[in-house]
Structure formats: structure tokens, C-alpha cells
Amino acid sequence: MKAIVVDKNYGSVTEQELDAIENAYRKAGIELERQHFMSEDEMIDGCRGALAILGTGNPPITRKVLEALPELKFIQRFGVGVNSIDLEAAAELGVIVFNLPGFCARELADLATAMIMALVRNTVYYDREIRKGNWPKCQYLLPGDVREMTLGLYGFGAAGKHLQEIFHGGFGTRIISCDPYVSEEVKKQYPYITFVSFEEMLAQSDIISIHVNLTPETMHIFNRDAFCRMKNHAMIINTSRGPVINQNDLAWALQNGEIRGAGLDTLETEPIQKDDPLLHMDNVILNPHSGSYGTGSKKEQIRMVCELLPAAVTRGQIPLRNVADKKVLAAAANYQFV
């Protein structure tokens, strides 16, 4: 049985971590290859006969790729997002797509907290100015008090839940959330959180933190119109997927005072383009898509990858929560979903 890492140079997984996965796979009778393909055609040519494809980043596993690889049975993502994989085609063809929901939820909440507080307290701006030789004592934007603000969570999954614990439990911040997929049972567990529409979240929030997957529904949902509906002193934090925000519209909103600031771990184009206006804005914090990077999350990530495929091929057992294309279940009678 052969499994192939198709983007070993993406930068999110080390050679030592791939060594650990290779050892775990070998015990299950799976041979692991490490490749880095730049196109669909390269992936098709290089993955013929493979049982599984492993994506450390977001490789283009399209319908074209899937239909050209009839022996493929599994795709393993090293993260939560699966927007570069055609889930409909995978399910139709009986290919099970694994992802890792929740593996870095605490780290994402911690990063969002760091960005919020840095923007509120001007810490990044002051650090930049001091390094230039300036001393802007009690200058720049007057910091507000997070205890008197409203934090709007766009998406109430694991990371959003951890972030509300930090701000509601630690500061007493008012929390609202827009997530039409949250059940009434979950809402009852958080009686102090008001669940609102997207428009209400835009209008009421002093801070908006994004915690959703990239889907046709969420693509560019934060656009010029959305920014115009936000408070002028509001800030936006994105630790989910870059294209949830229309980046050109965000630059316009910041340049024209429609919102106060932004903290971005993810961008529409990564790495960021050298002429991007966000690079020259003092009220913007940029991270290189490293929100999942942490001691606990790395340990959990590699543990899960080491276990999922071997358990599927040796015992026929698959955790249902790790199946991203759940429409495949009807065609996967040979496996026990637990």
C-alpha cells in the first residue's frame, strides 16, 4: 500500500514529523513517499496506484485529479480546512477525506486574543515606532476598554468557544455570535451569549473574530458593504481562511476609516504580495498563516495523522468526526465509523 505526501515543501510539517508518520505507516504496511507537485497533472502522474494522498497544505485535489486516480481511497489533510479538495467528487468516487477538526482550536483562540489586545493597546505600533528611533508616548489611537466592548464571533466552533471563554470569563466582555448552524441545545449551554444575524453582528460588534470554514457561503462575505455596516472604531480578526475577507475591500475600509484595524493570520494570496497596501498600514497586524503553530497542536496534529489511516486500513475503524466528506458514508460499508 502506498501513500504520498504531495506538498512536502509547504512549510507546515517538518521532516522529523514526516519521519514519525512514515514509521507509523510502515507498521501498518503502508509505504510513505514524499513529493511536492505543483499542478494537477504532476499530481496525477506522480500518484498513480496510491492508496492515499496526504496534503500538508492546500493542494488542488480536483475532480480531474480524483477521476484520474481510481485506486485512491483516502485523502489526509493536516488541518481543518478542505476547501482545495472537491468533496462532492470525492464522495461520489468513494474516497474518504480525513481532516483534523479542533486540533489547534486553543492556539487559534490564543492568537486572536493576542491580535485583539495588540490592536486595542497599540503595542505593535509602539514597538515599530520605537525601533525607528521615535518615542510616541500616549499618542496614536486612544485605547478602549475590552470590558466595555462587544466581541462578535463569526462562527461558534471550537476556536470561537475558547475565545469567548477568554474574553467573557477573563474580562467580562459581552459576546455575540453569528452561526446559523449552531443547535438550540448548544445555545442553551451559553445563556450569556446572544446569537444574532450577520447584519446584527456587523452593527453591534466592536471586535469581530472570524472562525468559519471557506465555503461558497462565506467567500468574500466581509466585503465593502459589510465594512460600511460595521462601527468606525471596530476591528476585524481573521484566523480562519483568507478569502472570507475581500482583501481589496478591507484595504479600502481601513484607508477610508470605515473600520479601525485588522489582525490577519490568513490572506487571500499567500505569501502576501509585495505591493499590498496592508503592508504599509500601522493599524494592521499580519501573521504568516501560523495560527495552528504550537506545542500542543503540533503534538495532536501528528498523533492524529499517525493514527487515522493505519486504523482505517488495519482495523476498518474511522472516527466519524474526522470525515470531511460525510456523503461518502453510504458508499463506505466496509468501514466502521465510530
Side-chain angles (χ1 to χ4, degrees):
M1 294 181 289
K2 181 170 66 174
I4 301 176
V5 178
V6 296
D7 54 356
K8 66 183 179 67
N9 298 333
Y10 179 70
S12 64
V13 180
T14 67
E15 287 293 330
Q16 291 78 13
E17 290 166 341
L18 290 175
D19 287 343
I21 296 166
E22 184 174 348
N23 290 333
Y25 279 23
R26 185 180 298 117
K27 294 175 183 177
I30 304 167
E31 175 191 353
L32 183 67
E33 293 183 12
R34 308 178 195 187
Q35 303 288 346
H36 193 83
F37 301 126
M38 303 298 291
S39 68
E40 293 171 302
D41 290 336
E42 287 183 2
M43 200 179 308
I44 290 169
D45 290 339
C47 293
R48 297 192 189 280
L51 170 78
I53 285 176
L54 283 71
T56 68
N58 298 286
I61 305 178
T62 61
R63 180 177 289 275
K64 174 183 176 180
V65 171
L66 291 164
E67 290 181 343
L69 301 173
E71 295 180 88
L72 187 69
K73 300 301 179 187
F74 300 96
I75 297 169
Q76 173 70 71
R77 268 285 289 118
F78 279 66
V80 181
V82 289
N83 48 284
S84 71
I85 303 170
D86 190 328
L87 296 183
E88 289 288 335
E92 288 176 21
L93 297 167
V95 179
I96 298 173
V97 180
F98 291 133
N99 69 341
L100 310 179
F103 86 99
C104 61
R106 292 185 183 277
E107 286 77 9
L108 293 178
D110 291 349
L111 175 58
T113 301
M115 287 182 161
I116 291 168
M117 295 310 299
L119 287 169
V120 169
R121 297 300 313 171
N122 300 326
T123 54
V124 174
Y125 170 78
Y126 287 147
D127 180 79
R128 291 170 181 164
E129 289 299 304
I130 290 171
R131 291 174 190 273
K132 294 175 186 176
N134 301 321
W135 193 257
K137 181 178 175 66
C138 296
Q139 296 177 28
Y140 198 51
L141 302 173
L142 183 65
D145 186 343
V146 294
R147 299 161 189 82
E148 299 176 359
M149 295 181 184
T150 295
L151 170 60
L153 303 174
Y154 183 53
F156 197 64
K161 291 183 177 71
H162 288 306
L163 187 61
Q164 69 82 24
E165 288 176 4
I166 294 170
F167 277 87
H168 177 77
F171 296 103
T173 304
R174 177 179 178 243
I175 309 294
I176 62 176
S177 179
C178 171
D179 190 331
Y181 302 103
V182 173
S183 68
E184 292 301 319
E185 181 180 351
V186 170
K187 291 180 181 179
K188 291 177 182 178
Q189 298 173 27
Y190 301 91
Y192 52 86
I193 295 178
T194 304
F195 289 87
V196 298
S197 68
F198 185 71
E199 291 73 19
E200 290 171 323
M201 180 189 67
L202 295 176
Q204 296 180 31
S205 299
D206 301 293
I207 309 159
I208 291 178
S209 190
I210 304 173
H211 303 280
V212 295
N213 293 326
L214 181 61
T215 66
E217 179 184 5
T218 62
M219 176 77 173
H220 281 183
I221 192 166
F222 287 94
N223 52 27
R224 182 176 294 211
D225 178 67
F227 294 127
C228 288
R229 294 170 184 268
M230 291 171 61
K231 297 178 180 180
N232 295 135
H233 66 261
M235 64 184 69
I236 191 163
I237 308 295
N238 191 9
T239 58
S240 63
R241 284 290 181 265
V244 174
I245 294 177
N246 183 313
Q247 201 160 304
N248 290 331
D249 289 359
L250 172 63
W252 173 86
L254 291 163
Q255 290 167 335
N256 288 276
E258 291 294 338
I259 64 172
R260 172 169 171 160
L264 308 172
D265 182 49
T266 56
L267 299 157
E268 279 202 76
T269 301
E270 297 177 356
I272 191 170
Q273 299 298 299
K274 293 182 179 179
D275 60 350
D276 196 299
L278 297 178
L279 290 169
H280 307 290
M281 296 183 185
D282 290 324
N283 54 343
V284 175
I285 299 174
L286 300 171
N287 254 35
H289 202 153
S290 298
S292 65
Y293 194 45
T295 303
S297 58
K298 291 301 293 181
K299 183 184 299 183
E300 182 68 1
Q301 177 191 52
I302 303 307
R303 180 193 68 79
M304 293 170 77
V305 173
C306 283
E307 293 178 357
L308 284 168
L309 184 58
V313 300
T314 60
R315 302 193 301 274
Q317 292 184 343
I318 296 175
L320 184 58
R321 70 186 301 269
N322 294 105
V323 178
D325 58 334
K326 290 189 169 51
K327 289 183 179 179
V328 79
L329 300 182
N334 295 333
Y335 299 99
Q336 178 185 2
F337 294 93
V338 295

